Amino acid sequence: GSTLQAAAAETNRYFGTAMAGHYFNNSGTMTITNREFNMITAENEMKMDATEPSQNQFSYAAGDQIVNWARQNGKQVRGHALAWHSQQPGWMQNMSGTTLRNAMLNHVTKVATYYKGKIYAWDVVNEAYADGSSGGRRDSNLQRTGNDWIEAAFRAARAADPQAKLCYNDYNTDNWSHAKTQGVYNMVRDFKARGVPIDCVGFQAHFNSGNPVPSNYHTTLGNFAALGVDVQITELDIEGSGTSQAEQFRGIVQACLSVARCTGITVWGVKDSDSWRASGTPLLFDGSGNKKAAYTYTLNALNAG
Ligand code: G3I
C-alpha cells in the first residue's frame, strides 16, 4: 500500500489519527488526514467536558463535525472517552458518592446512546490506574464512588450501544514488567472471568526518553490478547527525530503486527505542529505536512507485514 491506511488494510488492520476541530481550518491537514487514515479519534470533542457542559444538557456539535466527516469519507470512529478523572465538566468535578456515580452512568448512557451505531470502539474508561509501583487504581472522585465504578461504566455502555467494542484505555502500560501494566492486566482478566463486558484494551503509547518503547512490547500486547480481548495502539506519539525516532515507530508497528488481535494503530495527531506536546516533534508529518523518516519506516513496516 502507498498510504498508511492501505498498507495496514493488507493485514486487515486500520491506521488512524486523532483529529481536532481546528483541523477543518487547514486544507493541507485535511488532505493528509483523508488520504492516510481510516480510523478517527476526536482529540477533545467527545470528552465529558465537551459533551455535557451543564448537567444533563448535552452538546454534540463539535463531536458531530468530526464523526460526520469521518463517516462521509468512509472512515470508522473511535469514541474517546466516556468516563475519565480528567477533563470533567466543572459541575462534576466536586461531586461525590451516589450523586457522582449516577451522573457518570447517565453520561455514559446518554453519550453512547446518541452515537449508537456510529462508533467502532469506545474508550469507556480512560486512565484509571495509578502510576508508580502500586499496580492499583488511581485516586479520583470516580474511584472514591467505589471500586466497581469501572465495571458499572462498561455495563452501561454495553446496554446503550451493544454493537460498539468497549475498551479500557491507559498510558504507561506498554512495558510488561511495570506494575501499572500488571494492574490493568489483572482487571481485564477479572472482567473476562466474571462476564463484565469488555472487548478491547487501548495502549496510548505516548513515548519519550522517560518512557521509552519497551523491547517486550509484543509480549505485553500478546498477553492481553490472550485474555480474549482485542488490543490497539490508541494515541501513538514518540518524542525525538530522524532515524532513531523512525526506528521506534517501526518497532511499534512490528509489535502490533506480531499479535493477531492487535487490530490497529492510531497516532495522536497528524502534523508535529498539531501535537499536544507543544514543543515536540513526535508525529509522522512535519509542520509543513511533509512525510518524515518516521512516516516512511512506519509505512514500510506495515507493508512488510
Ligand atoms: O479550547 C481551549 C481554548 O479555548 C483555551 O483558550 C485554551 C487555554 O488553555 O484551552 C483550550 O483547551 C485545551 C484543549 O486541549 C484544546 O486545545 C485545554 O486547555 C487542554 O488541556 C487540552 O489538552 C488536551 C489534553 O488531552 C487534556 O487532558 C490535548 O489537546 C489532548 O491531546 C490530550 O489528549 C490526551 C488524551 O485525551 C488521553 N491520553 C493522553 C492525551 C495527551 O495528554
Side-chain angles (χ1 to χ4, degrees), residues 39-301:
M39 180 70 71
I40 297 295
T41 307
E43 187 174 0
N44 289 298
E45 291 77 358
M46 293 165 74
K47 292 174 177 175
M48 299 181 99
D49 57 351
T51 51
E52 196 178 356
S54 303
Q55 188 170 15
N56 212 30
Q57 294 187 359
F58 292 84
S59 172
Y60 295 115
D64 281 348
Q65 183 183 27
I66 290 173
V67 170
N68 292 339
W69 179 84
R71 288 166 55 79
Q72 284 159 9
N73 288 283
K75 304 175 190 312
Q76 293 184 289
V77 176
R78 190 182 176 89
H80 176 80
L82 291 172
W84 189 18
H85 70 276
S86 182
Q87 280 182 286
Q88 292 181 0
W91 60 264
M92 185 182 277
Q93 289 174 19
N94 294 316
M95 277 187 174
S96 63
T98 306
T99 309
L100 174 60
R101 174 68 69 93
N102 289 337
M104 180 275 287
L105 293 175
N106 182 59
H107 181 87
V108 170
T109 299
K110 294 282 174 59
V111 176
T113 299
Y114 180 80
Y115 283 111
K116 181 179 179 177
K118 299 181 175 178
I119 303 297
Y120 163 79
W122 268 111
D123 291 331
V124 178
V125 169
N126 195 38
E127 301 176 1
Y129 272 75
D131 296 311
S133 59
S134 77
R137 297 282 180 86
R138 172 196 299 277
D139 180 51
S140 73
N141 61 347
L142 290 168
Q143 180 62 27
R144 290 191 292 269
T145 70
N147 207 50
D148 62 341
W149 74 275
I150 297 180
E151 61 192 85
F154 274 82
R155 292 187 198 281
R158 179 70 99 222
D161 185 352
Q163 303 302 322
K165 293 183 186 295
L166 305 183
C167 303
Y168 177 80
N169 193 53
D170 214 328
Y171 66 89
N172 287 5
T173 48
D174 312 287
N175 192 316
W176 179 244
S177 66
H178 282 181
K180 187 172 179 181
T181 309
Q182 296 296 316
V184 175
Y185 177 84
N186 289 332
M187 178 189 71
V188 175
R189 187 173 57 184
D190 171 59
F191 280 14
K192 295 300 286 185
R194 291 191 295 113
V196 176
I198 185 169
D199 306 305
C200 36
V201 176
F203 297 81
Q204 293 184 11
H206 295 292
F207 295 109
N208 55 33
S209 55
N211 179 45
V213 177
S215 59
N216 61 12
Y217 208 8
H218 60 288
T219 302
T220 304
L221 298 176
N223 285 347
F224 274 85
L227 294 175
V229 290
D230 291 343
V231 295
Q232 291 123 14
I233 312 289
T234 55
E235 306 181 13
L236 177 61
D237 52 24
I238 308 176
E239 268 297 13
S241 61
T243 306
S244 144
Q245 180 187 49
E247 288 171 346
Q248 294 176 73
F249 272 97
R250 178 174 64 195
I252 297 285
V253 172
Q254 289 172 338
C256 180
L257 294 186
S258 75
V259 174
R261 291 196 75 161
C262 184
T263 61
I265 299 172
T266 292
V267 290
W268 204 240
V270 174
K271 300 187 300 187
D272 283 337
S273 51
D274 298 319
S275 172
W276 68 290
R277 297 187 192 272
S279 59
T281 57
L283 295 172
L284 301 179
F285 294 86
D286 71 17
S288 303
N290 299 307
K291 295 171 180 172
K292 296 165 56 180
Y295 173 93
T296 305
Y297 276 56
T298 298
L299 182 70
N300 290 347

